[in-house]
Amino acid sequence: RKEVEQDPGPFNVPEGATVAFNCTYSNSASQSFFWYRQDCRKEPKLLMSVYSSGNEDGRFTAQLNRASQYISLLIRDSKLSDSATYLCVVNPSMDSNYQLIWGAGTKLIIKP
Amino acid sequence: EADIYQTPRYLVIGTGKKITLECSQTMGHDKMYWYQQDPGMELHLIHYSYGVNSTEKGDLSSESTVSRIRTEHFPLTLESARPSHTSQYLCASSDVAGGNYNEQFFGPGTRLTVL
């Protein structure tokens, strides 16, 4: 079993719709969580850090469920520009020198 | 925008050649990383550094080597390139402040093809 698992998609969603996808992690001691966005053939860029139970930034909401060991990303009123691969990233330790574990990503395609 | 640069952006080279992928950042970050990513796959950490004269191997076994003589510079070297080294190589850096929530800033990547 992979340490961080994501549904690879693609999720094909009409513009304006709400879409959500989950990411599960295997290490219950994991301390910090992130969503990165990666456009095709580009580098990853931080979308959100996930604090405590979750947080919101505009149309994006990230939630953490420690009991079930998953984090979710919700995108409301989706835009064409939201089309990208969304990477779930987990820090498995309280030690900030520990290395991040990256999911393979969920591909999102927003259609007009 | 992150100030982290990688050269070359694209490299096509023959088997057996020695190559060095350059990575520089102007943010003064202590931590730097090299990742390898195949299309549609997850990032795999191959090397990282906590600061000058610090280098560590990552999770993915790699025949490459790195050096960190200056804070801003973290080059990766392949002594003898092989077709199995064909991949995208991403360099990243992060600050030590912020604890576990340090954002990693990525360079644009080097797409390497070994014939």
Side-chain angles (χ1 to χ4, degrees), chain A residues 35-94:
Chain A
W35 284 103
Y36 276 72
R37 171 193 168 128
Q38 186 172 26
D39 293 300
C40 187
R41 294 182 171 269
K42 298 283 190 179
E43 70 274 22
K45 293 185 179 180
L46 181 67
L47 177 67
M48 299 178 77
S49 301
V50 187
Y51 303 107
S52 57
S53 62
N55 51 298
E56 185 174 320
D57 183 3
R59 297 183 294 109
F60 298 85
T61 300
Q63 290 195 313
L64 168 63
N65 185 317
R66 287 192 182 273
S68 301
Q69 292 180 212
Y70 73 85
I71 62 173
S72 63
L73 180 67
L74 179 81
I75 306 174
R76 289 181 297 277
D77 187 24
S78 54
K79 313 290 184 191
L80 296 176
S81 57
D82 294 334
S83 297
T85 296
Y86 290 84
L87 307 176
C88 172
V89 190
V90 176
N91 184 338
S93 170
M94 289 188 67

Side-chain angles (χ1 to χ4, degrees), chain B residues 13-85:
Chain B
I13 202 161
T15 296
K17 299 292 186 182
K18 178 180 178 179
I19 58 172
T20 295
L21 308 184
E22 301 288 348
C23 175
S24 294
Q25 50 96 4
T26 58
M27 297 174 283
H29 288 169
D30 285 322
K31 294 185 182 179
M32 295 190 74
Y33 316 81
W34 275 104
Y35 290 92
Q36 187 174 340
Q37 185 182 33
D38 293 322
M41 303 297 287
E42 60 264 53
L43 277 74
H44 288 288
L45 183 67
I46 50 175
H47 297 283
Y48 59 100
S49 167
Y50 295 126
V52 171
N53 294 326
S54 153
T55 61
E56 303 285 344
K57 287 189 178 294
D59 307 321
L60 184 67
S61 173
S62 173
E63 294 159 349
S64 57
T65 58
V66 292
S67 62
R68 189 88 184 273
I69 298 171
R70 304 196 313 267
T71 298
E72 62 272 21
H73 195 212
F74 191 41
L76 180 145
T77 298
L78 274 167
E79 290 293 332
S80 180
R82 295 208 302 273
S84 60
H85 295 138

